Amino acid sequence: MSSDNRPGGDPVPAELHALDAELRGAEQAFLRRTDPGPTALLISVAMLVLLVGLLLPWVGYTPGWSVLAGLAPLGPLVRLFTFTSLAFGLVLPALALATRLWALAWLCAVGGGIASINGLWALWTRQVGVPIGEPGPGIGMVLAVVAMVLLAANWARIALRR
């Protein structure tokens, strides 16, 4: 059975070629989309926790937003985590939830995993690699790392669902 013939062998009328092309386009659009379902609420809550984590102290009394802005020199790993958590924890998930594109869901899953590893590494270096008397990681950094791990796991679940 070819695409131009009906099962009985009769040719498809010319008027139906446009409809056939439109249906194929709709099928391709459907295959590129994903439906997060109830997981979208969990992702939104994790994004909110990450946003609160950026407002709370990350190291000593220094909040995460000032690390992001470059106002507090806390080392490259902490600053790298602020950028990756902002990109893969707030910006890209907002786009992925709005567009529901499967490729963005995959990007959120992979980027969230990378940001989670960055966060764990930054958290570990603030616990182990600081001189005596310097402040360790604050509640904001811990919340941000937990939120990124949750985001990465949920985006991976959405991306692998298809």
Side-chain angles (χ1 to χ4, degrees):
M1 172 168 88
S2 70
S3 64
D4 291 340
N5 293 334
R6 294 187 206 170
D10 299 330
V12 175
E15 305 88 38
L16 295 179
H17 280 293
L19 178 63
D20 186 44
E22 183 180 341
L23 288 175
R24 285 189 186 153
E27 178 186 14
Q28 290 300 321
F30 175 75
L31 290 176
R32 287 181 292 185
R33 303 258 179 208
T34 184
D35 182 22
T39 311
L41 180 63
L42 190 60
I43 287 173
S44 299
V45 169
M47 288 171 64
L48 182 64
V49 168
L50 179 62
L51 193 60
V52 168
L54 281 170
L55 297 175
L56 290 173
W58 275 36
V59 176
Y61 294 108
T62 307
W65 64 266
S66 64
V67 176
L68 182 66
L71 301 175
L74 297 175
L77 291 176
V78 177
R79 188 159 162 100
L80 178 66
F81 176 57
T82 58
F83 285 118
T84 56
S85 66
L86 179 70
F88 296 114
L90 293 176
V91 176
L92 212 55
L95 286 172
L97 286 176
T99 61
R100 297 178 183 256
L101 289 176
W102 185 66
L104 285 178
W106 265 108
L107 196 57
C108 285
V110 172
I114 291 170
S116 297
I117 291 170
N118 286 343
L120 289 172
W121 198 11
L123 194 64
W124 178 73
T125 57
R126 286 310 302 178
Q127 288 178 339
V128 176
V130 295
I132 296 175
E134 290 287 321
I139 187 70
M141 183 186 276
V142 174
L143 277 177
V145 170
V146 169
M148 283 310 304
V149 169
L150 286 174
L151 282 168
N154 284 309
W155 278 116
R157 192 170 77 186
I158 289 172
L160 292 172
R161 196 181 304 168
R162 197 172 93 142

